[in-house]
Amino acid sequence: MDKAKLLDRLGATGEDRLLLAKVLDRAEQAESRNIPAATDFLSPQQQIQTLDLLRLAGVPETGYVRLGGYDGAERQLFLFLPDWLDRSDADSQSPIRCLRASFRAEYALSHRDFLGSLMGMGIVREKIGDILVGPASADIIVLDTVAEFLLQSWDSAGRAKLAVSAIDARDLHFPEVQCQEVRDTVSSLRLDAVASTGFKMARGKAAELISSGRVQVNWRECAKPDKLLSAGDTVSARGFGKFELAEVGGVTRKGRTSIVLKRYV
């Protein structure tokens, strides 16, 4: 199946179609030139789209690895492997570099400060992986194509001066994930019912948000308010954040189901 037909079958349009076409180019490059070939960093949603594409194209799971600089990274890239390279040796071919930007703690810089500074320097989002912000430093995962430029030229974020250095991935600092536990009961495990609690809005408003195409379940767009959720599902919405359905409990005397949500803040 040629590239255009593959993308048509996925229903890919606009920017998604361009991105997925580039993914196919990297896969073909690894096969035809017999060299490792990597994509840029992808969001979780883009990773799901890429996995769907590779399955449709018949690319075996042994033909690529996902890398993000550390286990559990949110933004990851796909590294396509030639026949001579084993998956266990893929890290040696990784284009990922880790940087640490240190600053004075009183400036209390945020993820937004660092991302805004990087993009202000002309670094596009696709070249940047996760940004791990601590009280006096931030560890930034980047592609090797921009690492040296940042080491030489990046000296500020917000009002703070930065001292930028290269670090090993084993030395990354991981900030504590901030989340709020919410306990409630819902009439059912329908997406609109659970989202009403998760996003602190009326169920009707949650249904409208879902129908508008702004909600994702496990990083796949879902426009069906009646979709049933299960424990472990992650729900996100542009402009409203995300939450995980951490636990599903028993049914109350009034027929409502108890749930526990982890709302990320």
Side-chain angles (χ1 to χ4, degrees), residues 6-44:
L6 281 170
L7 297 174
D8 288 342
R9 284 192 60 181
L10 281 177
T13 59
E15 292 184 0
D16 287 343
R17 190 179 183 91
L18 291 175
L19 181 144
L20 293 173
K22 291 179 181 179
V23 170
L24 285 176
D25 288 342
R26 296 295 183 271
E28 292 170 0
Q29 181 181 5
E31 182 178 6
S32 63
R33 298 177 58 185
N34 205 31
I35 58 173
T39 68
D40 288 337
F41 286 107
L42 307 178
S43 70

Side-chain angles (χ1 to χ4, degrees), residues 180-182 184 192-203 205-206 209 240 243 261 263-265:
Q180 176 186 13
E181 185 175 276
V182 179
D184 199 2
D192 56 353
V194 179
S196 174
T197 294
F199 296 134
K200 299 181 180 179
M201 62 177 62
R203 183 168 175 174
K205 290 291 185 182
L209 182 68
F240 293 89
F243 65 85
L261 303 182
R263 182 187 293 140
Y264 295 90
V265 295

Side-chain angles (χ1 to χ4, degrees), residues 4 12 30 39 59 71 77 99 103 105 150 155 192 204 213 227 237 252:
T39 68
V59 178
D71 290 342
L77 56 78
L99 306 180
F103 56 91
L150 292 175
D155 59 6
D192 56 353
K227 177 180 175 60
T252 69

Side-chain angles (χ1 to χ4, degrees), residues 31-261:
E31 182 178 6
S32 63
R33 298 177 58 185
N34 205 31
I35 58 173
T39 68
D40 288 337
F41 286 107
L42 307 178
S43 70
Q45 182 184 18
Q46 291 168 339
Q47 293 170 45
I48 293 296
Q49 292 174 323
T50 295
L51 289 171
D52 290 342
L53 174 64
L54 297 179
R55 280 192 289 267
L56 191 60
V59 178
E61 293 184 4
T62 54
Y64 60 86
V65 293
R66 279 196 285 176
L67 302 171
Y70 64 96
D71 290 342
E74 182 172 281
R75 295 180 62 83
Q76 299 186 359
L77 56 78
F78 283 71
L79 177 66
F80 294 98
L81 308 173
D83 291 339
W84 54 267
L85 185 62
D86 188 82
R87 287 169 61 91
S88 61
D89 298 322
D91 282 343
S92 66
Q93 303 295 323
S94 172
I96 292 175
R97 299 294 178 266
C98 302
L99 306 180
R100 175 164 294 156
S102 300
F103 56 91
R104 289 167 56 184
E106 59 260 33
Y107 285 103
L109 296 180
S110 67
H111 185 283
R112 180 177 297 181
D113 292 320
F114 285 101
L115 185 58
S117 175
L118 288 165
M119 299 186 75
M121 295 178 67
I123 307 297
V124 296
R125 188 66 180 98
E126 293 78 14
K127 305 300 179 184
I128 309 166
D130 287 1
I131 300 174
L132 309 170
V133 183
S137 66
D139 292 347
I140 299 95
I141 317 296
V142 300
L143 291 183
D144 54 8
T145 53
V146 301
E148 194 59 37
F149 169 70
L150 292 175
L151 285 168
Q152 295 180 4
S153 305
W154 193 22
D155 59 6
S156 66
R159 296 180 294 110
K161 293 294 184 182
L162 301 178
V164 183
S165 59
I167 62 171
D168 191 279
R170 292 171 294 185
D171 297 323
L172 287 168
H173 292 163
F174 300 103
E176 183 179 353
V177 176
Q178 299 294 318
C179 62
Q180 176 186 13
E181 185 175 276
V182 179
R183 294 178 179 272
D184 199 2
T185 61
V186 290
S187 58
S188 76
L189 293 178
R190 282 175 46 128
L191 176 57
D192 56 353
V194 179
S196 174
T197 294
F199 296 134
K200 299 181 180 179
M201 62 177 62
R203 183 168 175 174
K205 290 291 185 182
E208 291 176 8
L209 182 68
I210 296 162
S211 298
S212 73
R214 295 172 62 189
V215 173
Q216 299 174 353
V217 177
N218 298 327
W219 310 113
R220 293 183 186 274
E221 184 177 302
C222 180
K224 297 180 178 181
D226 62 351
K227 177 180 175 60
L228 295 178
L229 300 181
S230 302
D233 285 344
T234 297
V235 180
S236 56
R238 294 189 294 275
F240 293 89
K242 67 179 179 179
F243 65 85
E244 177 190 343
L245 178 55
E247 297 178 23
V248 176
V251 178
T252 69
R253 292 180 181 179
K254 294 184 178 181
R256 296 176 64 83
T257 302
S258 62
I259 59 172
V260 179
L261 303 182

